[in-house]
C-alpha cells in the first residue's frame, strides 16, 4: 500500500491510465513520455505528471516513463493483483450483461453467484453460473466469501435489497439502479448512472452541431 | 446557449447536480445553500460554488440557490429540453438493458430503432421496438433522424460497426464495447468503461478494509 493518501479524483483516472498502458505493452512499447501519453489520452501532460507524482512519480527527465513498471504500479494501487469475489443480484438484462462481461475477471473480479426472485429465471444457466433463488442469499453469503454485490434489480426494490446486502456484511455495493443509494451500514457504494455519460454526449453534440 | 466555454470536467458533474436538484424539487425543497448541497452530494461547498459560477452563478449571499431555476438552467445547458433520436446496435443483453432503461426518455433521448445481425433475434420485440436486420441500417438512417448510435456489439466487430456509423453521418456514438474507439469521421464518441467504476470500488475496499 502507498503511504500517501491519493485523492479520489486521481484514483478515478487510474483505470484509464491502466488501459492505455496495457495497449502500449501489447504493442511492444517500452517507454513513453508524458507528452506522448497526453496526446493519446487527451489529458494535459502537466495533469499526467501531477497524477503520476501522487504515487512516487516513475518518470525520468529525458527518458519518460517505463511502461511496464508504471502499468504494474498502477495495477498494485488499484488492487488488481487481488481477487474480489462478487455476486450479481438481479438476473435481468443488465445482470446478464454483467455476467457475460469478460473484462471483470481479467481485472480481478470473480463472479461467484447470481440471484433472482423470478421463478422463470431461477435455475437458468448464465455463462457458468446457475441463477439462484434470492431466498438462498443469506446462506450463500454465510458460506462463501463475497466482497461485492452488483445490484441490477428494479428501482422499487433497490433500497430493500441494498439494506439486506448491508445487513449480511457485504462490504462493497455496485449499484446500477438509477438512484444514489445511501445505506446505514459500513458499506462502500459505487452508484453507476448510465445516463450521466449519455447526457455528456448530448451536451457535446449540442455544443458542436447546435441542433434545434 | 451560454456564451462562456464550460470545461468538460464541470460538464461531467452537471448530470449529478441535475439529479440531486430533481430529488430536492420532488421533496418540495425550494432553496438550498452550497453548504447543504455539499453535504448531500459529497463535494466541497467551494467546488460547488466554483462549478455553478461557471454558468452565471444563481446563488445569492445568505439565501442560497433557487432549486427550480438552478435545475432548469442546468437542464438547458445539458440540452435536456431537446430531443435526441438514438438507435441501439446490438440487441444482446446490454442492448436490451439499454432499451429497457426508462430514464433515457425522461432526459430527452428517444430510442427509435434497434438492430442486430442474429436471425434468431431479428423480428423479436423489445419494449415497443422490433429488432431490425442490421442490413437495413443504411436505409433506416437515410429515412429517419438519428443523432446517436448506442453500440452494444461484440468487441471484434466494434471497429467496423463504428466505421459504418461514421460513414452514415451519425454524429454521436455511445460505445459500450471495452475499447477506446477513435474513428476518422466527425463523430463525437463517449466510451463507457463499466469496469473503471468497479476498479474504483475495488480500490476503496482495499483502502478501507486492507484485505489480503
Amino acid at each position: 500500500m502507498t503511504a500517501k493518501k491519493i485523492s479520489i479524483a486521481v484514483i478515478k483516472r487510474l483505470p484509464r491510465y491502466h488501459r492505455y498502458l496495457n495497449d502500449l505493452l501489447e504493442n511492444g512499447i517500452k517507454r513513453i513520455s508524458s507528452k506522448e501519453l497526453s496526446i493519446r489520452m487527451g489529458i494535459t501532460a502537466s495533469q499526467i505528471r501531477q497524477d503520476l507524482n501522487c504515487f512516487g512519480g516513475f518518470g525520468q527527465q529525458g527518458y519518460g516513463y517505463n511502461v511496464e513498471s508504471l502499468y504494474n504500479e498502477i495495477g498494485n494501487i488499484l488492487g488488481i493483483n487481488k481477487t474480489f469475489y462478487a455476486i450479481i443480484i438481479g438476473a435481468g438484462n443488465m445482470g446478464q450483461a454483467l455476467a457475460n462481461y469478460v473484462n471483470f475477471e481479467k481485472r480481478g473480479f470473480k463472479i461467484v453467484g447470481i440471484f433472482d426472485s423470478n421463478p422463470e429465471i431461477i435455475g437458468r444457466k448464465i455463462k457458468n453460473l446457475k441463477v439462484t433463488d434470492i431466498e438462498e442469499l443469506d446462506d450463500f453469503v454465510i458460506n462463501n466469501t463475497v466482497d461485492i454485490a452488483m445490484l441490477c434489480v428494479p428501482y422499487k426494490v433497490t433500497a430493500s435489497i441494498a439494506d439486506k446486502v448491508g445487513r449480511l456484511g457485504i462490504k462493497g455495493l455496485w449499484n446500477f439502479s438509477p438512484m444514489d443509494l445511501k445505506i446505514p451500514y459500513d458499506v462502500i457504494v459505487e452508484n453507476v448512472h448510465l445516463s450521466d455519460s449519455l447526457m455528456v454526449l448530448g451536451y457535446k453534440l449540442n455544443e458542436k452541431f447546435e441542433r434545434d
Side-chain angles (χ1 to χ4, degrees), chain A:
Chain A
M1 285 271 91
T2 48
K4 206 166 146 195
K5 175 92 179 166
I6 304 172
S7 86
I8 205 68
V10 177
I11 295 300
K12 284 189 175 173
R13 280 192 289 272
L14 291 188
R16 254 184 95 199
Y17 285 115
H18 198 256
R19 260 187 286 120
Y20 274 84
L21 291 165
N22 188 35
D23 280 355
L24 294 175
L25 270 184
E26 283 180 0
N27 289 307
I29 296 166
K30 291 199 163 33
R31 60 190 206 183
I32 192 161
S33 67
S34 51
K35 198 175 161 202
E36 286 169 285
L37 203 53
S38 155
I39 293 164
R40 280 174 188 259
M41 293 185 62
I43 300 179
T44 67
S46 108
Q47 176 78 73
I48 287 175
R49 284 191 297 269
Q50 204 177 307
D51 283 356
L52 303 185
N53 274 340
C54 284
F55 44 91
F58 304 89
Q60 264 179 271
Q61 197 75 38
Y63 172 90
Y65 296 97
N66 177 312
V67 173
E68 193 175 356
S69 67
L70 190 54
Y71 175 80
N72 290 334
E73 182 64 20
I74 291 177
N76 285 340
I77 293 170
L78 288 170
I80 276 172
N81 49 343
K82 304 197 179 172
T83 301
F84 291 98
Y85 298 93
I87 56 170
I88 295 169
I89 305 182
N93 288 313
M94 184 56 81
Q96 291 189 40
L98 293 185
N100 284 300
Y101 204 77
V102 289
N103 268 28
F104 297 150
E105 195 131 349
K106 276 202 270 175
R107 290 181 169 75
F109 297 89
K110 196 171 162 49
I111 295 170
V112 293
I114 177 161
F115 296 84
D116 205 290
S117 63
N118 180 349
E120 283 177 32
I121 297 179
I122 293 166
R124 218 185 268 181
K125 229 171 166 192
I126 296 171
K127 240 181 154 184
N128 54 347
L129 292 168
K130 208 187 249 185
V131 179
T132 308
D133 190 337
I134 187 88
E135 296 293 329
E136 293 171 35
L137 182 65
D138 296 42
D139 280 351
F140 185 90
V141 174
I142 290 164
N143 296 311
N144 297 272
T145 303
V146 179
D147 302 304
I148 293 170
M150 301 175 170
L151 234 65
C152 306
V153 297
Y155 190 88
K156 61 181 190 300
V157 298
T158 302
S160 69
I161 300 276
D163 192 78
K164 193 181 180 67
V165 165
R167 271 190 291 112
L168 287 169
I170 297 173
K171 292 296 176 212
L173 207 159
W174 202 34
N175 174 37
F176 279 80
S177 181
M179 66 166 64
D180 282 296
L181 264 180
K182 278 180 192 137
I183 48 177
Y185 297 96
D186 203 13
V187 178
I188 294 174
V189 182
E190 276 286 305
N191 295 298
V192 179
H193 290 284
L194 289 179
S195 40
D196 283 12
S197 140
L198 185 58
M199 284 161 89
V200 170
L201 178 58
Y203 171 82
K204 289 179 179 172
L205 284 173
N206 259 337
E207 197 195 32
K208 185 156 183 189
F209 301 105
E210 289 284 337
R211 291 182 62 249
D212 283 301

